[in-house]
Amino acid sequence: MQLLDVYNDAIRDCTKATALVNSTNEFYNNSVVSNGTVYSTDIHSCVIDGAFLTLFMAFERFLELSFLCYMMGQPGLNGNTFARFVSPVNEENALNMIKGNNKFADFTNRDIIVRLANNFFDAGGTYTYLNSISGDFEEMKKIRNAISHVSIESKKSFQGLVRTKIGSLPPNIDTSTFLNMIVPGASTTFFIHYKDIVVSAIGNISNP
């Protein structure tokens, strides 16, 4: 596994997620009909939610796989390196080091990632970048949880995020509607806002 491949795969998935949102908006806004089937609000919402999950999972996968690459001593895409405190014999050994006594390492948890990075790399290596997007990372998790978890707590967390971001809680607001809204004071949607954060993070972490 090479960091360049990990980077390219992550960027490809981010591009795919963006294309899905653009396509579903095009179909929905133009009331596309095929063989009597209308491109409904439900279809539109499912595609946007699915695109966001694709984006979030691409970031999660990138964080884990890039971590393994750096543990194996690979340089960043720019050729820069940083000191590591471990020397795993292979990727499986590196993964076991990350997991420790747990079944898996949670690469959706910024605190865990930063702690592991500080344990394995000098000054946390390139993963200190995550500190600069800590708030954005938590916001994306709240949206992800609201899409994939049917719980009162995930719904409340999402509604709190909506209030913070737009100053109110519109009736029956859902994740797809929020993601398709224009960010106050900006010209892009919340989906594009988070996509840009993910792409920027992937680029920065890949180039220490």
Side-chain angles (χ1 to χ4, degrees):
M1 178 172 56
Q2 296 297 312
L3 181 61
L4 178 59
D5 294 328
V6 172
Y7 170 86
N8 285 336
D9 286 347
I11 295 299
R12 180 201 64 211
D13 286 346
C14 291
T15 302
K16 172 185 174 182
T18 305
L20 284 170
V21 171
N22 290 339
S23 295
T24 193
N25 283 336
E26 179 73 16
F27 294 158
Y28 183 71
N29 292 337
N30 287 284
S31 303
V32 170
V33 178
S34 176
N35 293 325
T37 300
V38 178
Y39 200 87
S40 66
T41 300
D42 287 342
I43 297 173
H44 185 227
S45 297
C46 284
V47 175
I48 292 176
D49 283 347
F52 186 82
L53 290 179
T54 296
L55 178 69
F56 191 88
M57 288 188 295
F59 192 31
E60 178 185 4
R61 187 180 306 111
F62 166 80
L63 289 171
E64 180 176 20
L65 297 184
S66 65
F67 206 98
L68 292 173
C69 288
Y70 285 126
M71 287 181 70
M72 296 300 298
Q74 293 185 35
L77 299 184
N78 56 7
N80 292 340
T81 60
F82 45 85
R84 55 189 174 126
F85 303 142
V86 291
S87 298
V89 295
N90 53 40
E91 291 171 7
E92 182 179 0
N93 183 215
L95 184 59
N96 286 332
M97 289 181 181
I98 293 173
K99 291 191 299 184
N101 295 323
N102 301 312
K103 291 184 178 180
F104 64 92
D106 186 0
F107 276 85
T108 69
N109 188 313
R110 185 195 63 87
D111 290 339
I112 289 177
I113 299 169
V114 171
R115 176 174 56 78
L116 288 170
N118 283 320
N119 288 340
F120 296 150
F121 307 125
D122 184 35
T126 190
Y127 295 93
T128 56
Y129 179 82
L130 294 177
N131 292 326
S132 68
I133 61 166
S134 59
D136 301 306
F137 204 149
E138 290 306 309
E139 289 171 10
M140 289 188 287
K141 283 184 64 176
K142 288 178 181 179
I143 298 169
R144 187 283 304 265
N145 289 344
I147 294 172
S148 59
H149 298 166
V150 183
S151 70
I152 295 174
E153 189 58 38
S154 61
K155 181 178 180 179
K156 286 173 61 178
S157 294
F158 169 68
Q159 290 177 338
L161 171 62
V162 173
R163 288 192 186 94
T164 299
K165 288 299 185 180
I166 68 174
S168 63
L169 184 65
N172 302 316
I173 185 75
D174 58 20
T175 48
S176 61
T177 302
F178 172 72
L179 288 167
N180 229 15
M181 292 176 66
I182 300 295
V183 177
S187 58
T188 57
T189 64
F190 280 103
F191 181 90
I192 296 300
H193 168 73
Y194 292 117
K195 184 269 296 181
D196 288 345
I197 289 169
V198 168
V199 170
S200 180
I202 290 170
N204 277 277
I205 291 170
S206 298
N207 293 278

